[in-house]
Amino acid sequence: MSALTNRLTVIFIPPYVTVGPVEGRTYTLTHSDETGELFLSVGGGIDSSKIDWKMRDEVIGTWQIRGGQYYLVCSVHISAGEFDENKARARYSIFKEEMPLALKGIINGDKGLFGYYPWLLNAPVQVEFCSIYPEFNQVMYYGLARHYQEG
């Protein structure tokens, strides 16, 4: 068992289960600053019960089809004006630094899906950093889902 697996808790919200469906599948990844634990909800929409609405440090992911190809599209909230530019800069920097770990949490937390649909591991991963400040309002390519798969 990897260190990630030991600190990752996954819940599935019916009708979403380990093997599907893919359509509408949404990930809500949160964490505990105190323990370093990661929490992943897999369901048909954002698990708003898991979001800290003051901190807004969640990562949301969805499967989308574009041009006939599946993409894993994730988004993070940097600032809609509630954080000043300095705080937004810090949030942006932290999210960029921690994004590979977050993506590992999503991909490894839903490993049953990839066992059933292994071709999804070839899906490109895109991350949208959402901010009112133009320099932090970015869309970045993070390689393929398989790059975040552990053993």
Side-chain angles (χ1 to χ4, degrees), residues 24-54:
R25 196 174 193 88
T26 302
Y27 303 104
T28 305
L29 183 76
T30 59
H31 73 281
S32 167
D33 284 332
E34 291 82 33
T35 65
E37 290 176 282
L38 296 172
F39 305 96
L40 179 65
S41 297
V42 182
I46 295 170
D47 186 355
S48 59
S49 70
K50 300 291 192 249
I51 294 175
D52 179 333
W53 294 99
K54 289 186 181 185

Side-chain angles (χ1 to χ4, degrees), residues 118-139:
W119 47 268
L120 283 175
L121 288 168
N122 294 321
V125 179
Q126 176 181 307
V127 178
E128 300 169 349
F129 296 84
C130 305
S131 178
I132 63 163
Y133 303 107
E135 68 184 289
F136 311 126
N137 193 47
Q138 304 284 326
V139 176

Side-chain angles (χ1 to χ4, degrees), residues 2 21 35 49 65 72 89 92 106 121 143 146-147:
S2 73
T35 65
S49 70
I65 299 175
L72 178 58
R89 179 177 290 105
Y92 178 75
I106 290 170
L121 288 168
R146 74 173 54 261
H147 297 153

Side-chain angles (χ1 to χ4, degrees), residues 7-81:
R7 59 186 187 148
L8 177 64
T9 301
V10 182
I11 63 165
F12 290 88
I13 303 167
Y16 291 82
V17 295
T18 57
V19 296
V22 177
E23 186 176 323
R25 196 174 193 88
T26 302
Y27 303 104
T28 305
L29 183 76
T30 59
H31 73 281
S32 167
D33 284 332
E34 291 82 33
T35 65
E37 290 176 282
L38 296 172
F39 305 96
L40 179 65
S41 297
V42 182
I46 295 170
D47 186 355
S48 59
S49 70
K50 300 291 192 249
I51 294 175
D52 179 333
W53 294 99
K54 289 186 181 185
M55 292 291 294
R56 295 302 314 267
D57 55 1
E58 73 281 353
V59 176
I60 304 299
T62 59
W63 288 103
Q64 297 181 12
I65 299 175
R66 297 179 180 172
Q69 179 177 11
Y70 274 95
Y71 282 75
L72 178 58
V73 179
C74 297
S75 65
V76 294
H77 179 86
I78 302 299
S79 180

